[in-house]
Amino acid sequence: MTAAVRVEHVTKRFGDLVALDDVSLEVEEGGVLGVIGYSGAGKSTLVRLMNGLEQPTTGRVLVGDAEISALPERELRRVRRDIGMIFQQFNLFRARTVAGNVAYPLRVAGVSRTERDARVARVLDFVGLLDKAHAHPEQLSGGQKQRVGIARALATSPRLLLADEATSALDPETTADVLALLKRVNRELGITIVLITHEMEAVKAVAQQVVVMEAGRIVERGSLVDVFSAPATPAAARFVRSVLHDRPTGATLDRLRSAHRGRLVTVRVADRPGFTATVSDAFAKRRLSNELVFGGISELGDRSVGALTYALDGPGAAVDEALAELRGAGIAVEEEAAG
Amino acid sequence: MNGFLADLPTYLTAIGQTLFIVLVSLVVAGALGLVLGVALAVTRRGGLLSNPVLFAVLNVVVNIVRPIPFVIFVIAIAPVTIGVLGTYLGPAAATFALSLAAAFAVSRIVEQSLVAVDPGVLEAARAAGASPLRTIATVLIPEGLGPLILGYTFLFVGIVDMSAQVGLIGGGGLGDFAVTYGSQRYDWPVVYITVATIIVLVQIGQLVGNRLARLALRR
């Protein structure tokens, strides 16, 4: 499998600030990589290295065969025509019409007028805004503006699309539309996408691979399903929880503890036949009072992920035995820490 | 006032001279100021062609020239004007001095208009593979066009003002006319006719500028 993007041991400093600290990653051709992290984690810097808007302090960045981090600015300009980019604030040219915005990268690339018109019509049709070709950006809604942004990024038929917080300025419904469009860009046009976001929802909708960033480092990486079903780091766990709402936290946890006797135990949902039977058997045969008090299960790709929290009451040794049995059966079990 | 009818041809000539001085200065100062203002806007730290040393030099030069009172500036560069045009009197000489002085004022107006352009759209152009010069011509200036036109309108009013001043020191035009045929003969109606003429001129300029700016801003 060839890599569409390869980042090798990249460190980026701005003065004393270390924005990226020894970051390495690969994005496979035709894949969608979601890069998630809180603001200031270095995500934007990372994506801006991929089209050479920033250069690494040390390390290498490759896109296809081009070594972005070694090219002079003049060469970079040519390479950038094969890399689309969309932005949180859309960054449309207000002095140009929708069609003028989409045509801009084609003019830069020196595409002839007839060819330009044809391509502008084609991408505007793809994003569903052909009827708005002669409108000006300020006449459009936020979601429409981002669709123009996507059309502009696709005009030169790039192989890679960089999306920098592309849905962060949109309301939830519009976000879903734009994410669905990005998914079509990937599936129908085969364009590799790097999606930078602090919204797990966006990653969940589009990405196949996920990278979690914190303080300039990649703290976790893996397939979408793996990171969601078993986040290994606190940072990843927080993001996953923000979408799945499957673990009680804070006030909810306090309330559950005061309302139920015994120990609160969270069992991660394993997507396999007999899962619930295994769990209830382990509790029942030890005569443990077990009450389901919290939980959530979501569909992710073609798998179910989530967690169920039980209040278990009975002899301490029996509870420990039951939990050991579940772990022995390959089911992840965690006890909610006492408040 | 009796004298005014006799002076009508001179009055019309004075209007023609003022229009000549104002329009030529507007074009020349506008062009020079645009180049200088773009240079100031793009060479500053973080600009499209960030070059702190060049920016510092340009900034200092503009700051030295700008505060010089215009009448003194005209006299101070008289040797240069004579060197170029052979005289420091008449509308052509006035236009030369005025264009130069106004160019520095324009540069600041242009700089302000362009620095206010959203850096995001410049980044979008860069991400599309546009060179800095292309970005200046096809994104930076078009995106800042509304404020630029309003700035140039402001400049037009300033140039009308300055053209009257050069008139007093031998440049011809309406300023010269108001003094020579008006106040020096105690013919106050002539002075007020001149004032009214200048007001009309300024109003027309402002109206055209506002219209163009509204077109550019689509408001």
Side-chain angles (χ1 to χ4, degrees):
Chain A
M1 187 97 58
T2 40
V5 183
R6 191 186 310 224
V7 174
E8 295 175 350
H9 299 291
V10 162
T11 293
K12 175 67 178 177
R13 292 191 193 86
F14 296 102
D16 289 339
L17 178 84
V18 182
L20 294 174
D21 185 7
D22 192 26
V23 167
S24 298
L25 63 80
E26 272 187 23
V27 188
E28 66 184 66
E29 192 80 58
V32 181
L33 175 72
V35 179
I36 190 158
Y38 292 106
S39 50
K43 312 181 299 285
S44 279
T45 307
L46 178 63
V47 78
R48 291 161 56 84
L49 290 169
M50 293 177 187
N51 61 357
L53 291 180
E54 302 281 359
Q55 288 293 359
T57 309
T58 59
R60 298 203 312 162
V61 179
L62 293 104
V63 172
D65 301 328
E67 188 175 344
I68 299 289
S69 50
L71 291 178
E73 184 70 20
R74 187 176 294 273
E75 300 283 316
L76 270 179
R77 275 178 223 145
R78 212 149 31 82
V79 175
R80 282 190 192 120
R81 292 173 195 164
D82 290 327
I83 305 173
M85 188 172 198
I86 56 177
F87 308 85
Q88 178 169 6
Q89 296 304 330
F90 325 126
N91 295 351
L92 299 183
F93 307 124
R94 275 178 293 178
R96 293 173 192 273
T97 60
V98 165
N101 268 276
V102 178
Y104 188 81
L106 297 170
R107 283 173 187 273
V108 171
V111 174
S112 75
R113 192 189 165 131
T114 33
E115 171 73 13
R116 220 159 59 207
D117 290 347
R119 285 221 232 168
V120 168
R122 203 183 320 145
V123 285
L124 278 180
D125 187 40
F126 183 79
V127 303
L129 285 176
L130 197 50
D131 57 324
K132 300 281 185 194
H134 302 292
H136 279 275
E138 76 268 13
Q139 298 168 311
L140 304 179
S141 69
Q144 290 173 328
K145 282 182 191 165
Q146 193 57 290
R147 277 149 69 195
V148 175
I150 292 170
R152 181 175 64 181
L154 297 181
T156 51
S157 309
R159 293 166 56 200
L160 173 65
L161 177 66
L162 306 175
D164 189 1
E165 296 282 3
T167 58
S168 301
L170 303 174
D171 60 56
E173 203 173 319
T174 320
T175 294
D177 290 346
V178 169
L179 291 173
L181 177 58
L182 288 177
K183 211 164 182 169
R184 277 181 58 216
V185 168
N186 175 248
R187 295 223 171 131
E188 293 176 23
L189 308 178
I191 294 173
T192 308
I193 298 180
V194 177
L195 182 81
I196 301 288
T197 181
H198 66 272
E199 300 170 315
M200 200 69 185
E201 204 66 54
V203 165
K204 184 183 159 212
V206 191
Q208 294 140 10
Q209 297 287 314
V210 179
V211 156
V212 181
M213 290 192 72
E214 196 172 39
R217 293 177 148 271
I218 292 179
V219 294
E220 189 158 342
R221 67 180 88 210
S223 74
L224 179 68
V225 177
D226 288 347
V227 171
F228 261 80
S229 52
T233 57
R238 274 200 306 278
F239 276 114
V240 167
R241 217 171 290 161
S242 72
V243 186
L244 297 186
H245 306 293
D246 60 351
R247 290 279 298 266
T249 51
T252 311
L253 198 53
D254 293 342
R255 187 179 58 73
L256 292 176
R257 214 171 260 126
S258 61
H260 302 280
R261 297 199 313 164
R263 291 152 67 176
L264 293 178
V265 171
T266 299
V267 178
R268 213 179 303 283
V269 172
D271 193 358
R272 64 181 191 214
F275 162 73
T276 36
T278 311
V279 174
S280 45
D281 277 2
F283 298 152
K285 70 185 176 202
R286 295 181 177 83
R287 299 176 185 285
L288 296 171
S289 124
N290 61 93
E291 198 177 346
L292 184 56
V293 295
F294 197 91
I297 301 177
S298 303
E299 186 94 24
L300 200 70
D302 52 359
R303 282 175 60 176
S304 301
V305 296
L308 302 171
T309 302
Y310 292 88
L312 293 182
D313 198 16
V319 173
D320 289 338
E321 260 178 50
L323 300 189
E325 182 183 320
L326 292 180
R327 288 195 181 106
I331 295 170
V333 182
E334 274 174 82
E335 190 149 359
E336 297 298 340
Chain B
M1 189 65 197
N2 296 339
F4 181 71
L5 286 177
D7 295 332
L8 195 59
T10 321
Y11 168 74
L12 293 175
T13 309
I15 291 182
Q17 286 176 340
T18 292
L19 285 177
F20 170 81
I21 295 169
V22 168
L23 293 179
V24 175
S25 303
L26 191 64
V27 171
V28 176
L32 288 177
L34 185 67
V35 172
L36 193 53
V38 167
L40 282 166
V42 300
T43 57
R44 65 170 51 219
R45 202 176 294 280
L48 273 173
L49 292 166
S50 176
N51 186 337
V53 177
L54 181 57
F55 175 76
V57 171
L58 293 174
N59 198 35
V60 166
V61 169
V62 173
N63 281 346
I64 289 174
V65 177
R66 278 242 297 154
I68 302 173
F70 175 59
V71 176
I72 295 173
F73 179 81
V74 174
I75 294 165
I77 65 153
V80 181
T81 313
I82 293 169
V84 175
L85 294 167
T87 173
Y88 71 95
L89 296 173
T95 305
F96 178 80
L98 215 168
S99 300
L100 221 54
F104 287 95
V106 184
S107 68
R108 286 295 183 206
I109 295 172
V110 171
E111 183 192 13
Q112 279 169 23
S113 305
L114 297 185
V115 168
V117 169
D118 175 14
V121 297
L122 303 180
E123 179 151 298
R126 196 168 162 228
S131 67
L133 284 180
R134 180 191 274 270
T135 306
I136 290 169
T138 61
V139 178
L140 183 64
I141 293 175
E143 292 291 313
L145 198 60
L148 272 179
I149 291 172
L150 289 176
Y152 275 94
T153 308
F154 178 77
L155 166 78
F156 169 79
V157 177
I159 286 180
V160 171
D161 173 24
M162 289 153 94
S163 79
Q165 294 184 46
V166 286
L168 294 183
I169 47 179
L174 286 166
D176 191 11
F177 179 77
V179 172
T180 312
Y181 294 87
S183 61
Q184 283 178 5
R185 294 181 181 172
Y186 303 101
D187 192 347
W188 298 108
V190 167
V191 174
Y192 295 128
I193 287 170
T194 315
V195 169
T197 310
I198 286 175
I199 290 174
V200 169
L201 210 60
V202 168
Q203 292 293 341
I204 294 172
Q206 188 72 49
L207 201 74
V208 172
N210 286 349
R211 280 279 161 80
L212 289 176
R214 206 175 309 144
L215 270 179
L217 291 168
R218 278 186 309 284
R219 273 181 203 143

